[in-house]
Amino acid sequence: MTARSSAAQPDFSAGCAFMDGAFMPIAECKISVLDWGMIRSDCTYDVAHVWKGRFFRLDKHLDRFLRGVEKLRMQLPFDRAKLEDVLSECVRRTGLDDVYVSMTCTRGRPPAGVRDPRQAKNTFYCFAIPFVWLATLPQQEAGLHLHVSSIPRIAPESVDPTVKNYHWLDMEMSLFEAYENDANFVVLTDGAGNITEGPGYNIFTYNNGRWATPDRGVLEGISRQTVLDLCRELNVSAQAGQLTETALRNAEEILLTSTAGGVMPVTKLDGKPVGNGTPGPATTRLRQLYWQKHGDPGWSSPVKAA
Ligand SMILES: Cc1ncc(COP(=O)(O)O)c(C=O)c1O
């Protein structure tokens, strides 16, 4: 009898993860309940995406992630080049073309009985799973219904929102409020009449030929930056600055931006139509251009070969 290997190939079709130096099917990737990422939200993460086999603005995601890791005084087990290789390998193993790619660094755990975060060994993991849409395509075609939450966004003086984080309870509870108000999306104020952001997205308003997006109390989203860059290319005015709730309620068009969905039109705000209640022309133009750039080598890059 000939000896044959009976080891089955792992199935990465639902996703591939990397942790502790090894690649594994997503369902096998586990983290300790004692990790401070779990018990203290002491972590930072980033999400990039691959569309039709190409990473979109990966450099910007890596810049933001590495900046966040540094700001939180954490250390990755390897350098940026290796991080990029590991992310690419996760994507390759899934065999998918449209992929959601997440990377996280948590505080990890200090030795038993020690409470000093400086003594913790940080945990890194990342994974690639099928593309995630914040709003389904039919929802995006029709436009989203947005609610302005009564719960203010956590103050930027308390938790730095430019370090992408899991302090989401204000946004999660706001979502419940939105659903109770017949809306499917929510945006939070700063508690002083200014708009910030929502769970997983930034917001833009369009009025008198100008796009505006909040510049304070928000994650500096890569999709938000993309809209600002596209506007520059189109010679359309777009500025990050103060955005009041009143300005939001008077907007001709509203859109949300996220890596998990791109540029998404809002057509109803707290039950009232935005503009004529259908996705506006300025939004539609940006949405088309956003996806068009995914094949452009100036904006996207192929997943690296093994
Ligand atoms: C709180 C928050 N704001 C904004 C965004 C949008 O950022 P990006 O465009 O980089 O996906 C996200 C993405 O997850 C987010 O979590």
Side-chain angles (χ1 to χ4, degrees), residues 45 47 61 64 153 164 168 171 197-202 219-224 257-260:
Y45 76 114
V47 174
H61 287 280
R64 184 174 65 183
R153 182 82 176 103
K164 196 166 156 70
W168 270 49
M171 300 196 287
E197 61 185 344
Y201 42 85
N202 293 110
L219 175 73
E220 290 166 354
I222 307 303
S223 327
R224 167 184 179 269
T257 58
S258 172
T259 296

mmCIF file with all atom_site columns, all heavy atoms in Angstrom, residues 45 47 61 64 153 164 168 171 197-202 219-224 257-260, ligand 1:
data_model
loop_
_atom_site.group_PDB
_atom_site.id
_atom_site.type_symbol
_atom_site.label_atom_id
_atom_site.label_alt_id
_atom_site.label_comp_id
_atom_site.label_asym_id
_atom_site.label_entity_id
_atom_site.label_seq_id
_atom_site.pdbx_PDB_ins_code
_atom_site.Cartn_x
_atom_site.Cartn_y
_atom_site.Cartn_z
_atom_site.occupancy
_atom_site.B_iso_or_equiv
_atom_site.pdbx_formal_charge
_atom_site.auth_seq_id
_atom_site.auth_comp_id
_atom_site.auth_asym_id
_atom_site.auth_atom_id
_atom_site.pdbx_PDB_model_num
ATOM   1   N N   . TYR A 1 45  ? -7.666  49.413 14.927 1.00 0.00 ? 45  TYR A N   1
ATOM   2   C CA  . TYR A 1 45  ? -7.824  48.513 13.780 1.00 0.00 ? 45  TYR A CA  1
ATOM   3   C C   . TYR A 1 45  ? -7.952  49.340 12.514 1.00 0.00 ? 45  TYR A C   1
ATOM   4   O O   . TYR A 1 45  ? -8.030  50.574 12.565 1.00 0.00 ? 45  TYR A O   1
ATOM   5   C CB  . TYR A 1 45  ? -9.047  47.606 13.982 1.00 0.00 ? 45  TYR A CB  1
ATOM   6   C CG  . TYR A 1 45  ? -10.397 48.248 13.762 1.00 0.00 ? 45  TYR A CG  1
ATOM   7   C CD1 . TYR A 1 45  ? -11.229 47.849 12.720 1.00 0.00 ? 45  TYR A CD1 1
ATOM   8   C CD2 . TYR A 1 45  ? -10.852 49.271 14.593 1.00 0.00 ? 45  TYR A CD2 1
ATOM   9   C CE1 . TYR A 1 45  ? -12.471 48.432 12.517 1.00 0.00 ? 45  TYR A CE1 1
ATOM   10  C CE2 . TYR A 1 45  ? -12.094 49.860 14.402 1.00 0.00 ? 45  TYR A CE2 1
ATOM   11  C CZ  . TYR A 1 45  ? -12.907 49.431 13.364 1.00 0.00 ? 45  TYR A CZ  1
ATOM   12  O OH  . TYR A 1 45  ? -14.128 50.014 13.166 1.00 0.00 ? 45  TYR A OH  1
ATOM   13  N N   . VAL A 1 47  ? -9.668  48.901 8.278  1.00 0.00 ? 47  VAL A N   1
ATOM   14  C CA  . VAL A 1 47  ? -10.327 48.063 7.276  1.00 0.00 ? 47  VAL A CA  1
ATOM   15  C C   . VAL A 1 47  ? -10.062 48.662 5.907  1.00 0.00 ? 47  VAL A C   1
ATOM   16  O O   . VAL A 1 47  ? -10.351 49.834 5.666  1.00 0.00 ? 47  VAL A O   1
ATOM   17  C CB  . VAL A 1 47  ? -11.849 47.973 7.520  1.00 0.00 ? 47  VAL A CB  1
ATOM   18  C CG1 . VAL A 1 47  ? -12.523 47.208 6.385  1.00 0.00 ? 47  VAL A CG1 1
ATOM   19  C CG2 . VAL A 1 47  ? -12.148 47.319 8.855  1.00 0.00 ? 47  VAL A CG2 1
ATOM   20  N N   . HIS A 1 61  ? -4.556  53.317 4.117  1.00 0.00 ? 61  HIS A N   1
ATOM   21  C CA  . HIS A 1 61  ? -5.032  52.502 5.247  1.00 0.00 ? 61  HIS A CA  1
ATOM   22  C C   . HIS A 1 61  ? -3.850  52.099 6.134  1.00 0.00 ? 61  HIS A C   1
ATOM   23  O O   . HIS A 1 61  ? -3.951  52.137 7.361  1.00 0.00 ? 61  HIS A O   1
ATOM   24  C CB  . HIS A 1 61  ? -5.761  51.264 4.740  1.00 0.00 ? 61  HIS A CB  1
ATOM   25  C CG  . HIS A 1 61  ? -7.111  51.568 4.170  1.00 0.00 ? 61  HIS A CG  1
ATOM   26  N ND1 . HIS A 1 61  ? -8.221  51.779 4.948  1.00 0.00 ? 61  HIS A ND1 1
ATOM   27  C CD2 . HIS A 1 61  ? -7.526  51.741 2.885  1.00 0.00 ? 61  HIS A CD2 1
ATOM   28  C CE1 . HIS A 1 61  ? -9.264  52.050 4.185  1.00 0.00 ? 61  HIS A CE1 1
ATOM   29  N NE2 . HIS A 1 61  ? -8.868  52.033 2.925  1.00 0.00 ? 61  HIS A NE2 1
ATOM   30  N N   . ARG A 1 64  ? -2.653  55.023 8.215  1.00 0.00 ? 64  ARG A N   1
ATOM   31  C CA  . ARG A 1 64  ? -3.552  55.317 9.342  1.00 0.00 ? 64  ARG A CA  1
ATOM   32  C C   . ARG A 1 64  ? -3.406  54.277 10.444 1.00 0.00 ? 64  ARG A C   1
ATOM   33  O O   . ARG A 1 64  ? -3.355  54.608 11.630 1.00 0.00 ? 64  ARG A O   1
ATOM   34  C CB  . ARG A 1 64  ? -5.006  55.387 8.845  1.00 0.00 ? 64  ARG A CB  1
ATOM   35  C CG  . ARG A 1 64  ? -5.994  55.771 9.919  1.00 0.00 ? 64  ARG A CG  1
ATOM   36  C CD  . ARG A 1 64  ? -7.396  55.971 9.382  1.00 0.00 ? 64  ARG A CD  1
ATOM   37  N NE  . ARG A 1 64  ? -7.980  54.734 8.863  1.00 0.00 ? 64  ARG A NE  1
ATOM   38  C CZ  . ARG A 1 64  ? -9.182  54.668 8.283  1.00 0.00 ? 64  ARG A CZ  1
ATOM   39  N NH1 . ARG A 1 64  ? -9.908  55.772 8.133  1.00 0.00 ? 64  ARG A NH1 1
ATOM   40  N NH2 . ARG A 1 64  ? -9.650  53.523 7.845  1.00 0.00 ? 64  ARG A NH2 1
ATOM   41  N N   . ARG A 1 153 ? -21.948 61.850 20.261 1.00 0.00 ? 153 ARG A N   1
ATOM   42  C CA  . ARG A 1 153 ? -20.752 61.037 20.017 1.00 0.00 ? 153 ARG A CA  1
ATOM   43  C C   . ARG A 1 153 ? -19.777 61.256 21.161 1.00 0.00 ? 153 ARG A C   1
ATOM   44  O O   . ARG A 1 153 ? -19.664 62.382 21.681 1.00 0.00 ? 153 ARG A O   1
ATOM   45  C CB  . ARG A 1 153 ? -20.119 61.485 18.686 1.00 0.00 ? 153 ARG A CB  1
ATOM   46  C CG  . ARG A 1 153 ? -18.879 60.703 18.267 1.00 0.00 ? 153 ARG A CG  1
ATOM   47  C CD  . ARG A 1 153 ? -19.242 59.410 17.594 1.00 0.00 ? 153 ARG A CD  1
ATOM   48  N NE  . ARG A 1 153 ? -18.081 58.690 17.110 1.00 0.00 ? 153 ARG A NE  1
ATOM   49  C CZ  . ARG A 1 153 ? -17.553 57.625 17.733 1.00 0.00 ? 153 ARG A CZ  1
ATOM   50  N NH1 . ARG A 1 153 ? -18.075 57.165 18.857 1.00 0.00 ? 153 ARG A NH1 1
ATOM   51  N NH2 . ARG A 1 153 ? -16.516 57.007 17.203 1.00 0.00 ? 153 ARG A NH2 1
ATOM   52  N N   . LYS A 1 164 ? -8.577  54.734 14.817 1.00 0.00 ? 164 LYS A N   1
ATOM   53  C CA  . LYS A 1 164 ? -9.781  53.917 14.558 1.00 0.00 ? 164 LYS A CA  1
ATOM   54  C C   . LYS A 1 164 ? -9.962  52.923 15.702 1.00 0.00 ? 164 LYS A C   1
ATOM   55  O O   . LYS A 1 164 ? -9.039  52.178 16.032 1.00 0.00 ? 164 LYS A O   1
ATOM   56  C CB  . LYS A 1 164 ? -9.612  53.214 13.214 1.00 0.00 ? 164 LYS A CB  1
ATOM   57  C CG  . LYS A 1 164 ? -10.878 52.646 12.621 1.00 0.00 ? 164 LYS A CG  1
ATOM   58  C CD  . LYS A 1 164 ? -10.638 52.296 11.159 1.00 0.00 ? 164 LYS A CD  1
ATOM   59  C CE  . LYS A 1 164 ? -11.580 51.245 10.619 1.00 0.00 ? 164 LYS A CE  1
ATOM   60  N NZ  . LYS A 1 164 ? -12.955 51.648 10.460 1.00 0.00 ? 164 LYS A NZ  1
ATOM   61  N N   . TRP A 1 168 ? -17.755 51.929 20.403 1.00 0.00 ? 168 TRP A N   1
ATOM   62  C CA  . TRP A 1 168 ? -18.925 52.035 19.530 1.00 0.00 ? 168 TRP A CA  1
ATOM   63  C C   . TRP A 1 168 ? -20.245 52.075 20.277 1.00 0.00 ? 168 TRP A C   1
ATOM   64  O O   . TRP A 1 168 ? -21.297 52.093 19.640 1.00 0.00 ? 168 TRP A O   1
ATOM   65  C CB  . TRP A 1 168 ? -18.929 50.837 18.555 1.00 0.00 ? 168 TRP A CB  1
ATOM   66  C CG  . TRP A 1 168 ? -18.189 51.107 17.277 1.00 0.00 ? 168 TRP A CG  1
ATOM   67  C CD1 . TRP A 1 168 ? -16.929 51.627 17.142 1.00 0.00 ? 168 TRP A CD1 1
ATOM   68  C CD2 . TRP A 1 168 ? -18.655 50.852 15.936 1.00 0.00 ? 168 TRP A CD2 1
ATOM   69  N NE1 . TRP A 1 168 ? -16.587 51.715 15.803 1.00 0.00 ? 168 TRP A NE1 1
ATOM   70  C CE2 . TRP A 1 168 ? -17.617 51.239 15.053 1.00 0.00 ? 168 TRP A CE2 1
ATOM   71  C CE3 . TRP A 1 168 ? -19.834 50.334 15.409 1.00 0.00 ? 168 TRP A CE3 1
ATOM   72  C CZ2 . TRP A 1 168 ? -17.739 51.130 13.661 1.00 0.00 ? 168 TRP A CZ2 1
ATOM   73  C CZ3 . TRP A 1 168 ? -19.944 50.219 14.021 1.00 0.00 ? 168 TRP A CZ3 1
ATOM   74  C CH2 . TRP A 1 168 ? -18.911 50.622 13.161 1.00 0.00 ? 168 TRP A CH2 1
ATOM   75  N N   . MET A 1 171 ? -22.624 54.743 19.300 1.00 0.00 ? 171 MET A N   1
ATOM   76  C CA  . MET A 1 171 ? -23.152 54.563 17.933 1.00 0.00 ? 171 MET A CA  1
ATOM   77  C C   . MET A 1 171 ? -24.111 53.369 17.861 1.00 0.00 ? 171 MET A C   1
ATOM   78  O O   . MET A 1 171 ? -25.127 53.424 17.176 1.00 0.00 ? 171 MET A O   1
ATOM   79  C CB  . MET A 1 171 ? -21.988 54.404 16.955 1.00 0.00 ? 171 MET A CB  1
ATOM   80  C CG  . MET A 1 171 ? -21.073 55.631 16.952 1.00 0.00 ? 171 MET A CG  1
ATOM   81  S SD  . MET A 1 171 ? -19.964 55.733 15.556 1.00 0.00 ? 171 MET A SD  1
ATOM   82  C CE  . MET A 1 171 ? -18.772 54.471 15.942 1.00 0.00 ? 171 MET A CE  1
ATOM   83  N N   . GLU A 1 197 ? -20.307 61.848 13.044 1.00 0.00 ? 197 GLU A N   1
ATOM   84  C CA  . GLU A 1 197 ? -20.237 60.695 12.138 1.00 0.00 ? 197 GLU A CA  1
ATOM   85  C C   . GLU A 1 197 ? -21.213 59.627 12.614 1.00 0.00 ? 197 GLU A C   1
ATOM   86  O O   . GLU A 1 197 ? -21.926 59.823 13.595 1.00 0.00 ? 197 GLU A O   1
ATOM   87  C CB  . GLU A 1 197 ? -18.812 60.141 12.110 1.00 0.00 ? 197 GLU A CB  1
ATOM   88  C CG  . GLU A 1 197 ? -18.347 59.659 13.484 1.00 0.00 ? 197 GLU A CG  1
ATOM   89  C CD  . GLU A 1 197 ? -16.890 59.215 13.549 1.00 0.00 ? 197 GLU A CD  1
ATOM   90  O OE1 . GLU A 1 197 ? -16.266 58.986 12.490 1.00 0.00 ? 197 GLU A OE1 1
ATOM   91  O OE2 . GLU A 1 197 ? -16.386 59.090 14.670 1.00 0.00 ? 197 GLU A OE2 1
ATOM   92  N N   . GLY A 1 198 ? -21.218 58.506 11.930 1.00 0.00 ? 198 GLY A N   1
ATOM   93  C CA  . GLY A 1 198 ? -22.103 57.407 12.305 1.00 0.00 ? 198 GLY A CA  1
ATOM   94  C C   . GLY A 1 198 ? -21.325 56.111 12.415 1.00 0.00 ? 198 GLY A C   1
ATOM   95  O O   . GLY A 1 198 ? -20.104 56.086 12.173 1.00 0.00 ? 198 GLY A O   1
ATOM   96  N N   . PRO A 1 199 ? -22.021 55.011 12.774 1.00 0.00 ? 199 PRO A N   1
ATOM   97  C CA  . PRO A 1 199 ? -21.325 53.734 12.960 1.00 0.00 ? 199 PRO A CA  1
ATOM   98  C C   . PRO A 1 199 ? -20.757 53.186 11.649 1.00 0.00 ? 199 PRO A C   1
ATOM   99  O O   . PRO A 1 199 ? -21.448 52.516 10.890 1.00 0.00 ? 199 PRO A O   1
ATOM   100 C CB  . PRO A 1 199 ? -22.401 52.810 13.537 1.00 0.00 ? 199 PRO A CB  1
ATOM   101 C CG  . PRO A 1 199 ? -23.704 53.501 13.314 1.00 0.00 ? 199 PRO A CG  1
ATOM   102 C CD  . PRO A 1 199 ? -23.435 54.959 13.111 1.00 0.00 ? 199 PRO A CD  1
ATOM   103 N N   . GLY A 1 200 ? -19.485 53.521 11.414 1.00 0.00 ? 200 GLY A N   1
ATOM   104 C CA  . GLY A 1 200 ? -18.794 52.979 10.236 1.00 0.00 ? 200 GLY A CA  1
ATOM   105 C C   . GLY A 1 200 ? -18.740 53.915 9.055  1.00 0.00 ? 200 GLY A C   1
ATOM   106 O O   . GLY A 1 200 ? -18.315 53.505 7.973  1.00 0.00 ? 200 GLY A O   1
ATOM   107 N N   . TYR A 1 201 ? -19.142 55.166 9.228  1.00 0.00 ? 201 TYR A N   1
ATOM   108 C CA  . TYR A 1 201 ? -19.126 56.070 8.065  1.00 0.00 ? 201 TYR A CA  1
ATOM   109 C C   . TYR A 1 201 ? -18.981 57.535 8.450  1.00 0.00 ? 201 TYR A C   1
ATOM   110 O O   . TYR A 1 201 ? -19.300 57.948 9.570  1.00 0.00 ? 201 TYR A O   1
ATOM   111 C CB  . TYR A 1 201 ? -20.393 55.913 7.206  1.00 0.00 ? 201 TYR A CB  1
ATOM   112 C CG  . TYR A 1 201 ? -21.668 55.785 8.008  1.00 0.00 ? 201 TYR A CG  1
ATOM   113 C CD1 . TYR A 1 201 ? -22.354 56.905 8.455  1.00 0.00 ? 201 TYR A CD1 1
ATOM   114 C CD2 . TYR A 1 201 ? -22.175 54.529 8.331  1.00 0.00 ? 201 TYR A CD2 1
ATOM   115 C CE1 . TYR A 1 201 ? -23.526 56.791 9.199  1.00 0.00 ? 201 TYR A CE1 1
ATOM   116 C CE2 . TYR A 1 201 ? -23.341 54.400 9.083  1.00 0.00 ? 201 TYR A CE2 1
ATOM   117 C CZ  . TYR A 1 201 ? -24.002 55.532 9.512  1.00 0.00 ? 201 TYR A CZ  1
ATOM   118 O OH  . TYR A 1 201 ? -25.143 55.408 10.249 1.00 0.00 ? 201 TYR A OH  1
ATOM   119 N N   . ASN A 1 202 ? -18.497 58.307 7.493  1.00 0.00 ? 202 ASN A N   1
ATOM   120 C CA  . ASN A 1 202 ? -18.476 59.779 7.579  1.00 0.00 ? 202 ASN A CA  1
ATOM   121 C C   . ASN A 1 202 ? -19.648 60.311 6.769  1.00 0.00 ? 202 ASN A C   1
ATOM   122 O O   . ASN A 1 202 ? -20.285 59.571 6.013  1.00 0.00 ? 202 ASN A O   1
ATOM   123 C CB  . ASN A 1 202 ? -17.155 60.329 7.016  1.00 0.00 ? 202 ASN A CB  1
ATOM   124 C CG  . ASN A 1 202 ? -15.952 59.962 7.866  1.00 0.00 ? 202 ASN A CG  1
ATOM   125 O OD1 . ASN A 1 202 ? -15.112 59.160 7.462  1.00 0.00 ? 202 ASN A OD1 1
ATOM   126 N ND2 . ASN A 1 202 ? -15.861 60.547 9.038  1.00 0.00 ? 202 ASN A ND2 1
ATOM   127 N N   . LEU A 1 219 ? -13.488 60.077 12.706 1.00 0.00 ? 219 LEU A N   1
ATOM   128 C CA  . LEU A 1 219 ? -12.386 59.349 12.082 1.00 0.00 ? 219 LEU A CA  1
ATOM   129 C C   . LEU A 1 219 ? -12.129 60.009 10.726 1.00 0.00 ? 219 LEU A C   1
ATOM   130 O O   . LEU A 1 219 ? -13.083 60.334 10.002 1.00 0.00 ? 219 LEU A O   1
ATOM   131 C CB  . LEU A 1 219 ? -12.779 57.880 11.871 1.00 0.00 ? 219 LEU A CB  1
ATOM   132 C CG  . LEU A 1 219 ? -11.741 57.046 11.114 1.00 0.00 ? 219 LEU A CG  1
ATOM   133 C CD1 . LEU A 1 219 ? -10.520 56.759 11.990 1.00 0.00 ? 219 LEU A CD1 1
ATOM   134 C CD2 . LEU A 1 219 ? -12.344 55.719 10.649 1.00 0.00 ? 219 LEU A CD2 1
ATOM   135 N N   . GLU A 1 220 ? -10.860 60.195 10.411 1.00 0.00 ? 220 GLU A N   1
ATOM   136 C CA  . GLU A 1 220 ? -10.562 60.738 9.080  1.00 0.00 ? 220 GLU A CA  1
ATOM   137 C C   . GLU A 1 220 ? -10.606 59.579 8.092  1.00 0.00 ? 220 GLU A C   1
ATOM   138 O O   . GLU A 1 220 ? -9.603  58.921 7.810  1.00 0.00 ? 220 GLU A O   1
ATOM   139 C CB  . GLU A 1 220 ? -9.207  61.458 9.111  1.00 0.00 ? 220 GLU A CB  1
ATOM   140 C CG  . GLU A 1 220 ? -9.326  62.739 9.932  1.00 0.00 ? 220 GLU A CG  1
ATOM   141 C CD  . GLU A 1 220 ? -7.997  63.353 10.311 1.00 0.00 ? 220 GLU A CD  1
ATOM   142 O OE1 . GLU A 1 220 ? -6.941  62.745 10.056 1.00 0.00 ? 220 GLU A OE1 1
ATOM   143 O OE2 . GLU A 1 220 ? -8.026  64.465 10.883 1.00 0.00 ? 220 GLU A OE2 1
ATOM   144 N N   . GLY A 1 221 ? -11.819 59.298 7.628  1.00 0.00 ? 221 GLY A N   1
ATOM   145 C CA  . GLY A 1 221 ? -12.059 58.133 6.782  1.00 0.00 ? 221 GLY A CA  1
ATOM   146 C C   . GLY A 1 221 ? -11.288 58.223 5.463  1.00 0.00 ? 221 GLY A C   1
ATOM   147 O O   . GLY A 1 221 ? -11.129 59.299 4.902  1.00 0.00 ? 221 GLY A O   1
ATOM   148 N N   . ILE A 1 222 ? -10.853 57.062 4.998  1.00 0.00 ? 222 ILE A N   1
ATOM   149 C CA  . ILE A 1 222 ? -10.138 57.036 3.707  1.00 0.00 ? 222 ILE A CA  1
ATOM   150 C C   . ILE A 1 222 ? -11.141 57.309 2.585  1.00 0.00 ? 222 ILE A C   1
ATOM   151 O O   . ILE A 1 222 ? -10.810 57.968 1.591  1.00 0.00 ? 222 ILE A O   1
ATOM   152 C CB  . ILE A 1 222 ? -9.417  55.677 3.504  1.00 0.00 ? 222 ILE A CB  1
ATOM   153 C CG1 . ILE A 1 222 ? -8.514  55.342 4.712  1.00 0.00 ? 222 ILE A CG1 1
ATOM   154 C CG2 . ILE A 1 222 ? -8.617  55.684 2.198  1.00 0.00 ? 222 ILE A CG2 1
ATOM   155 C CD1 . ILE A 1 222 ? -7.457  56.366 5.070  1.00 0.00 ? 222 ILE A CD1 1
ATOM   156 N N   . SER A 1 223 ? -12.362 56.853 2.737  1.00 0.00 ? 223 SER A N   1
ATOM   157 C CA  . SER A 1 223 ? -13.386 57.137 1.714  1.00 0.00 ? 223 SER A CA  1
ATOM   158 C C   . SER A 1 223 ? -13.755 58.621 1.753  1.00 0.00 ? 223 SER A C   1
ATOM   159 O O   . SER A 1 223 ? -14.042 59.225 0.715  1.00 0.00 ? 223 SER A O   1
ATOM   160 C CB  . SER A 1 223 ? -14.640 56.292 1.947  1.00 0.00 ? 223 SER A CB  1
ATOM   161 O OG  . SER A 1 223 ? -14.319 55.053 2.490  1.00 0.00 ? 223 SER A OG  1
ATOM   162 N N   . ARG A 1 224 ? -13.757 59.205 2.939  1.00 0.00 ? 224 ARG A N   1
ATOM   163 C CA  . ARG A 1 224 ? -13.995 60.656 3.082  1.00 0.00 ? 224 ARG A CA  1
ATOM   164 C C   . ARG A 1 224 ? -12.900 61.415 2.337  1.00 0.00 ? 224 ARG A C   1
ATOM   165 O O   . ARG A 1 224 ? -13.164 62.330 1.562  1.00 0.00 ? 224 ARG A O   1
ATOM   166 C CB  . ARG A 1 224 ? -13.987 61.001 4.577  1.00 0.00 ? 224 ARG A CB  1
ATOM   167 C CG  . ARG A 1 224 ? -13.918 62.480 4.941  1.00 0.00 ? 224 ARG A CG  1
ATOM   168 C CD  . ARG A 1 224 ? -13.831 62.544 6.462  1.00 0.00 ? 224 ARG A CD  1
ATOM   169 N NE  . ARG A 1 224 ? -13.731 63.876 7.027  1.00 0.00 ? 224 ARG A NE  1
ATOM   170 C CZ  . ARG A 1 224 ? -12.593 64.497 7.276  1.00 0.00 ? 224 ARG A CZ  1
ATOM   171 N NH1 . ARG A 1 224 ? -11.437 63.924 6.944  1.00 0.00 ? 224 ARG A NH1 1
ATOM   172 N NH2 . ARG A 1 224 ? -12.576 65.688 7.838  1.00 0.00 ? 224 ARG A NH2 1
ATOM   173 N N   . THR A 1 257 ? -19.924 58.002 3.590  1.00 0.00 ? 257 THR A N   1
ATOM   174 C CA  . THR A 1 257 ? -18.768 57.338 2.982  1.00 0.00 ? 257 THR A CA  1
ATOM   175 C C   . THR A 1 257 ? -18.197 56.284 3.920  1.00 0.00 ? 257 THR A C   1
ATOM   176 O O   . THR A 1 257 ? -18.070 56.512 5.132  1.00 0.00 ? 257 THR A O   1
ATOM   177 C CB  . THR A 1 257 ? -17.636 58.344 2.672  1.00 0.00 ? 257 THR A CB  1
ATOM   178 O OG1 . THR A 1 257 ? -17.243 59.013 3.877  1.00 0.00 ? 257 THR A OG1 1
ATOM   179 C CG2 . THR A 1 257 ? -18.059 59.361 1.630  1.00 0.00 ? 257 THR A CG2 1
ATOM   180 N N   . SER A 1 258 ? -17.850 55.134 3.337  1.00 0.00 ? 258 SER A N   1
ATOM   181 C CA  . SER A 1 258 ? -17.252 54.048 4.119  1.00 0.00 ? 258 SER A CA  1
ATOM   182 C C   . SER A 1 258 ? -16.538 53.082 3.183  1.00 0.00 ? 258 SER A C   1
ATOM   183 O O   . SER A 1 258 ? -16.973 52.881 2.046  1.00 0.00 ? 258 SER A O   1
ATOM   184 C CB  . SER A 1 258 ? -18.348 53.282 4.856  1.00 0.00 ? 258 SER A CB  1
ATOM   185 O OG  . SER A 1 258 ? -17.808 52.128 5.451  1.00 0.00 ? 258 SER A OG  1
ATOM   186 N N   . THR A 1 259 ? -15.474 52.477 3.713  1.00 0.00 ? 259 THR A N   1
ATOM   187 C CA  . THR A 1 259 ? -14.799 51.416 2.961  1.00 0.00 ? 259 THR A CA  1
ATOM   188 C C   . THR A 1 259 ? -15.768 50.264 2.708  1.00 0.00 ? 259 THR A C   1
ATOM   189 O O   . THR A 1 259 ? -15.663 49.565 1.716  1.00 0.00 ? 259 THR A O   1
ATOM   190 C CB  . THR A 1 259 ? -13.568 50.929 3.776  1.00 0.00 ? 259 THR A CB  1
ATOM   191 O OG1 . THR A 1 259 ? -12.672 52.031 3.882  1.00 0.00 ? 259 THR A OG1 1
ATOM   192 C CG2 . THR A 1 259 ? -12.875 49.760 3.130  1.00 0.00 ? 259 THR A CG2 1
ATOM   193 N N   . ALA A 1 260 ? -16.718 50.078 3.634  1.00 0.00 ? 260 ALA A N   1
ATOM   194 C CA  . ALA A 1 260 ? -17.721 49.028 3.479  1.00 0.00 ? 260 ALA A CA  1
ATOM   195 C C   . ALA A 1 260 ? -18.934 49.585 2.724  1.00 0.00 ? 260 ALA A C   1
ATOM   196 O O   . ALA A 1 260 ? -20.028 49.663 3.277  1.00 0.00 ? 260 ALA A O   1
ATOM   197 C CB  . ALA A 1 260 ? -18.121 48.491 4.840  1.00 0.00 ? 260 ALA A CB  1
HETATM 198 C C1  . LIG B 2 .   ? -16.479 55.674 13.212 1.00 0.00 ? 1   LIG B C1  1
HETATM 199 C C2  . LIG B 2 .   ? -16.124 55.580 11.766 1.00 0.00 ? 1   LIG B C2  1
HETATM 200 N N1  . LIG B 2 .   ? -16.166 56.704 11.013 1.00 0.00 ? 1   LIG B N1  1
HETATM 201 C C3  . LIG B 2 .   ? -15.880 56.668 9.699  1.00 0.00 ? 1   LIG B C3  1
HETATM 202 C C4  . LIG B 2 .   ? -15.540 55.483 9.056  1.00 0.00 ? 1   LIG B C4  1
HETATM 203 C C5  . LIG B 2 .   ? -15.243 55.479 7.580  1.00 0.00 ? 1   LIG B C5  1
HETATM 204 O O1  . LIG B 2 .   ? -13.851 55.285 7.368  1.00 0.00 ? 1   LIG B O1  1
HETATM 205 P P1  . LIG B 2 .   ? -13.282 54.661 6.038  1.00 0.00 ? 1   LIG B P1  1
HETATM 206 O O2  . LIG B 2 .   ? -13.758 55.521 4.932  1.00 0.00 ? 1   LIG B O2  1
HETATM 207 O O3  . LIG B 2 .   ? -11.801 54.709 6.217  1.00 0.00 ? 1   LIG B O3  1
HETATM 208 O O4  . LIG B 2 .   ? -13.825 53.279 5.923  1.00 0.00 ? 1   LIG B O4  1
HETATM 209 C C6  . LIG B 2 .   ? -15.472 54.303 9.814  1.00 0.00 ? 1   LIG B C6  1
HETATM 210 C C7  . LIG B 2 .   ? -15.116 53.036 9.184  1.00 0.00 ? 1   LIG B C7  1
HETATM 211 O O5  . LIG B 2 .   ? -15.252 51.985 9.749  1.00 0.00 ? 1   LIG B O5  1
HETATM 212 C C8  . LIG B 2 .   ? -15.763 54.362 11.192 1.00 0.00 ? 1   LIG B C8  1
HETATM 213 O O6  . LIG B 2 .   ? -15.706 53.263 11.958 1.00 0.00 ? 1   LIG B O6  1
#
